[in-house]
Amino acid sequence: MTQHPRARSTYTGVALVIGSALSLQFGAVFAYQLFPQLGSWGVTTLRLGVAALVLTLMVRPKVGQWSAEQWKAVALFGGSMALMNGTFYAAIERIPIGLAVTIEFLGPLVLAAALSRRGIDFLWLGIALLGMGVLGYESINNATDYDPLGVLFALIAGLGWALYVLAGAKVGQAVEGTGGLAVAMSFAAVFLLPLGAPGALKGVTDPHLLLLAIGTGLLASLIPYTLELMALRRLPRNTFSILLSLEPAVAAIAGFLLLGQVTGPVRWLAIALLIAASVGVTLSARKNPGPKEVQLGEVAPVTASLPMIEDATAQGSKPHRAEKG
């Protein structure tokens, strides 16, 4: 039986989000090795700069043809990326990565609630929120995990993450291909320079540290952000935001397997709830795509006031195709 194009689009979008989550956690393993030498801000600045350079050379964005509105969208995307990345790495320098990602997920969770129009979405949001609550309770009662400054950075990163989803959807609509992402990462690296310049300079002058930074840039920036931009072209923003609940689960598993960060039974229960929310929203999106869902290759427009998802084929919109690579 031939699958409906919207179903294929949903499954492709889910696969892209999962691939992004996996890549991000492997990139974090490289970053942990760099923290003692470069500091979290230096690592973030260097990895974004490396990723921006590689992607710019690959896609060669035609910035000379961009309008002022396109430049504004890309600059805002870069600003949200700088906020999200800088504070997240500052958080995982102080608290376990699984806890940091889970706290950070509050941003897209609140965004998903604001954007959702279907009752079933609130069920999955509720399950995800329950998982968050279980994990928060377990973490607060584990004194070794609870660094107030790390938690604060993770909360700020959550705000950056929500802005990243909105700004990324806007760039996906306004700028064809991945040229907008390349320039946005360049903006992000520049925005972080005041805090990260000393560490980044040290990384550039040490071949071993530079090699680790390149690995971090590819795995934690270039690959995941390219995959997420492609996913945002295939999924409504509320569905995309709920699917991001997979990231705390992947982060906790990666922290346990790759970094030896212990994950107890209560935390595994929270992870299971987050995975259930992601699976649920994927299946409900497939069964009930609705007339307003974003179709393959289309982009949900973004306006200033967190509106409900609108039809990407509405009058005046011009859907773009996602480029491979």
Side-chain angles (χ1 to χ4, degrees):
M1 182 182 293
T2 303
Q3 285 186 324
H4 193 283
R6 291 178 183 175
R8 290 199 301 270
S9 177
T10 297
Y11 287 138
T12 301
V14 171
L16 291 168
V17 173
I18 293 173
S20 170
L22 290 171
S23 183
L24 277 168
Q25 308 319 317
F26 280 100
V29 173
F30 281 87
Y32 268 101
Q33 300 177 58
L34 290 170
F35 284 159
Q37 290 84 14
L38 310 184
S40 63
W41 298 101
V43 173
T44 308
T45 303
L46 188 55
R47 77 175 176 86
L48 285 170
V50 167
L53 177 61
V54 172
L55 188 58
T56 299
L57 293 175
M58 288 173 58
V59 303
R60 300 179 182 234
K62 299 177 181 179
V63 296
Q65 301 176 10
W66 288 0
S67 66
E69 191 66 25
Q70 287 174 309
W71 275 107
K72 179 181 177 181
V74 170
L76 290 173
F77 191 28
S80 68
M81 201 178 295
L83 179 65
M84 176 182 68
N85 281 274
T87 53
F88 175 69
Y89 268 40
I92 67 173
E93 192 177 24
R94 294 166 174 83
I95 59 178
I97 187 171
L99 175 59
V101 176
T102 304
I103 295 171
E104 184 192 26
F105 179 64
L106 283 170
L109 185 68
V110 171
L111 177 63
L115 295 176
S116 291
R117 63 168 54 188
R118 300 179 306 173
I120 190 65
D121 284 341
F122 290 97
L123 171 63
W124 307 127
L125 282 168
I127 293 174
L129 187 59
L130 178 61
M132 293 280 297
V134 170
L135 191 53
Y137 172 82
E138 188 266 352
S139 299
I140 290 174
N141 283 275
N142 187 342
T144 59
D145 281 355
Y146 193 71
D147 181 322
L149 184 57
V151 171
L152 176 61
F153 278 130
L155 287 170
I156 297 172
L159 171 62
W161 199 353
L163 295 174
Y164 165 83
V165 173
L166 290 173
K170 179 66 174 179
V171 169
Q173 180 193 22
V175 182
E176 189 172 2
T178 51
L181 176 61
V183 178
M185 286 195 291
S186 300
F187 271 118
V190 171
F191 292 153
L192 289 170
L193 272 178
L195 293 172
L201 182 61
K202 181 179 179 181
V204 170
T205 57
D206 185 312
H208 174 68
L209 296 178
L210 180 59
L211 186 61
L212 286 174
I214 291 173
T216 305
L218 295 178
L219 291 171
S221 294
L222 178 60
I223 294 174
Y225 295 153
T226 300
L227 294 179
E228 287 182 2
L229 187 63
M230 294 169 67
L232 279 164
R233 288 187 167 116
R234 290 164 169 81
L235 298 170
R237 290 165 296 164
N238 60 324
T239 301
F240 178 83
S241 295
I242 300 173
L243 279 172
L244 291 178
S245 64
L246 280 174
E247 291 208 11
V250 174
I253 294 169
F256 174 71
L257 294 177
L258 303 176
L259 299 171
Q261 295 176 344
V262 177
T263 299
V266 176
R267 193 170 296 183
W268 283 118
L269 172 62
I271 289 170
L273 290 169
L274 293 173
I275 292 175
S278 290
V279 172
V281 74
T282 302
L283 294 178
S284 64
R286 175 184 180 273
K287 292 177 181 177
N288 183 28
K292 299 295 186 181
E293 293 282 2
V294 178
Q295 300 182 19
L296 181 63
E298 295 178 348
V299 182
V302 179
T303 60
S305 57
L306 298 183
M308 299 301 182
I309 303 299
E310 300 176 8
D311 190 347
T313 59
Q315 183 177 2
S317 65
K318 295 182 180 180
H320 294 304
R321 298 283 176 180
E323 293 182 355
K324 294 182 179 179

